[in-house]
Amino acid sequence: YENYGLSLIGGSVAVFYFATWAGCQYYGLMGQEPAFVLMILTTTLAMVLAVHHDALGLAILGVVGGFLTPILLSTGVDNQIVLMTYMGVLNGGIFWVSLNKRWVALNWLGFAATFLLYFAWLAGFHDCAKFWPSLFFLNLYTVGFVVIPYIHDQGREEEQTISGAHLAVIASIAGLILNIFLISDCYNLEAASLASLSYTVLFAALAQALYQSGREEYQSFALYVCQSALFLAVSIPILLDGEWVTVLLAAQAAALYYLSGKLSLRILLIGGMALMGFVMAKFLVYDYGELYKVFGGQSLSQATGHGARMLSNLAILAGLFLMGWWSEGTPIRDERVRRNLAAIHYVAFGSMLFL
């Protein structure tokens, strides 16, 4: 009778939601405020019963009902602080339940519902006069979905599930996109780099915490390191311009390659090589054509920005040489492959000497 009983409980929770909505919006028996309180109590009841009966389905019903509450009772008038505080409290409840019951699916559901509801508010009511509350709540949600999966698995002796780290990565990317939109719309794109730099530090701190706890072999450690490097790579072209973008991206590519050997992570080796390939392509195609005006029928002597071009080229040359030098310490076991990697970098180094 257990499943039958859970079905009755789930049905009663659904009836509570429907009756409250009908009493407020259809029959006019109660105002928005008491209906809102009743739906919050219904959501709380569903979550408590889910924990008591160890029923994930009830928890999902409560979460869905909780996020539908402001939609069902909406009057079309913006009440930003109440709405976003409510979403923050609701996510706090989701985090508490998921931490106690190890229900990772609740975090994914909370993330999807939170960002959909936030985006819907942004599309309908965004105004630069509401910038600071909008930015605060956005980053509160994002940091929550990044940190909670990390905390979720800290009590485990076995390797933590990669699902939690994936949620952190996806939530941070969604948060960064919305941050860039908000900040660039109300201020400028350069200011948006502060958000990506903050996320860089956040993921570096999570990776450092895993490393210090002796869990650097976990897949999530590699994801945190790569995500930190990705946000840094995003920050550089936003914050800087000209040859400094090429210089710093080349340095980052070499650093990733070096860390791949120190941390025994092949994904960092691949990321470093891919980033260096991108830097070389940018230098030869974009920098030469747009920054230094090499193309268009004029010679190198007639081109502009000789000092900047030399600085960029030196940075790439140094990066390629060091990557070739460090190939012996890469996490690849096959010695012949390591020698081939070194040869590739030295050949690229020799080619760039003539450009």
Side-chain angles (χ1 to χ4, degrees):
Y1 298 100
E2 181 180 354
N3 291 334
Y4 180 67
L6 290 175
S7 299
L8 290 177
I9 293 173
S12 66
V13 170
V15 168
F16 271 126
Y17 280 122
F18 179 75
T20 304
W21 170 80
C24 176
Q25 300 289 73
Y26 192 74
Y27 294 107
L29 299 177
M30 67 182 80
Q32 185 188 37
E33 291 79 7
F36 192 72
V37 171
L38 280 176
M39 284 196 170
I40 291 175
L41 291 175
T42 303
T43 299
T44 304
L45 175 64
M47 300 298 277
V48 170
L49 290 173
V51 172
H52 178 72
H53 293 287
D54 196 23
L56 175 59
L58 275 179
I60 291 175
L61 179 62
V63 171
V64 172
F67 280 103
L68 284 177
T69 294
I71 298 174
L72 295 174
L73 299 179
S74 174
T75 60
V77 177
D78 180 30
N79 198 342
Q80 180 192 21
I81 302 300
V82 173
L83 171 64
M84 295 191 176
T85 301
Y86 169 76
M87 288 199 295
V89 172
L90 183 57
N91 277 308
I94 292 172
F95 295 154
W96 178 81
V97 172
S98 67
L99 285 173
N100 282 275
K101 304 303 293 185
R102 305 289 185 184
W103 289 338
V104 178
L106 277 190
N107 289 333
W108 281 98
L109 180 60
F111 158 71
T114 298
F115 276 81
L116 283 174
L117 200 54
Y118 185 92
F119 182 78
W121 175 88
L122 203 64
F125 300 104
H126 168 62
D127 189 318
C128 286
K130 307 167 187 174
F131 170 78
W132 288 110
S134 303
L135 189 70
F136 170 77
F137 282 107
L138 171 60
N139 287 287
L140 177 68
Y141 305 148
T142 303
V143 171
F145 286 112
V146 169
V147 175
I148 289 300
Y150 172 84
I151 298 174
H152 183 281
D153 292 303
Q154 287 312 292
R156 296 186 177 186
E157 293 297 327
E158 72 275 11
E159 181 171 345
Q160 68 186 100
T161 57
I162 197 68
S163 177
H166 280 162
L167 174 59
V169 168
I170 293 173
S172 62
I173 291 174
L176 180 62
I177 291 171
L178 291 175
N179 266 288
I180 290 175
F181 169 77
L182 276 175
I183 298 173
S184 60
D185 184 56
C186 297
Y187 290 92
N188 53 61
L189 187 60
E190 288 74 17
S193 64
L194 294 176
S196 57
L197 286 172
S198 299
Y199 288 174
T200 299
V201 174
L202 174 60
F203 277 97
L206 292 177
Q208 176 67 15
L210 278 180
Y211 186 80
Q212 288 184 333
S213 63
R215 300 184 179 191
E216 67 272 13
E217 74 278 6
Y218 288 0
Q219 289 178 298
S220 54
F221 174 75
L223 276 180
Y224 291 150
V225 173
C226 290
Q227 195 70 2
S228 179
L230 174 63
F231 284 132
L232 181 59
V234 169
S235 304
I236 290 171
I238 293 177
L239 191 60
L240 303 172
D241 55 19
E243 70 277 8
W244 292 110
V245 176
T246 304
V247 169
L248 291 182
L249 287 180
Q252 185 183 357
L256 287 176
Y257 198 84
Y258 175 76
L259 286 175
S260 72
K262 289 296 182 181
L263 302 177
S264 299
L265 294 174
R266 289 194 180 192
I267 191 170
L268 295 184
L269 181 145
I270 296 171
M273 293 182 66
L275 184 56
M276 182 57 79
F278 169 79
V279 171
M280 293 172 64
K282 174 186 176 297
F283 178 71
L284 296 175
V285 177
Y286 176 80
D287 292 5
Y288 260 45
E290 298 296 326
L291 298 181
Y292 313 133
K293 309 299 181 184
V294 172
F295 304 131
Q298 56 185 350
S299 65
L300 283 175
S301 60
Q302 296 173 316
T304 60
H306 295 292
R309 189 172 78 246
M310 182 174 293
L311 178 63
S312 298
N313 203 1
L314 284 174
I316 295 173
L317 286 171
L320 289 170
F321 181 83
L322 289 173
M323 290 167 76
W325 181 269
W326 290 328
S327 292
E328 186 62 31
T330 57
I332 296 177
R333 296 180 180 179
D334 191 325
E335 184 178 352
R336 187 176 65 175
V337 175
R338 292 200 302 268
R339 287 201 303 268
N340 288 337
L341 280 177
I344 290 172
H345 290 101
Y346 288 137
V347 168
F349 171 83
S351 301
M352 292 297 295
L353 279 174
F354 296 97
L355 297 176

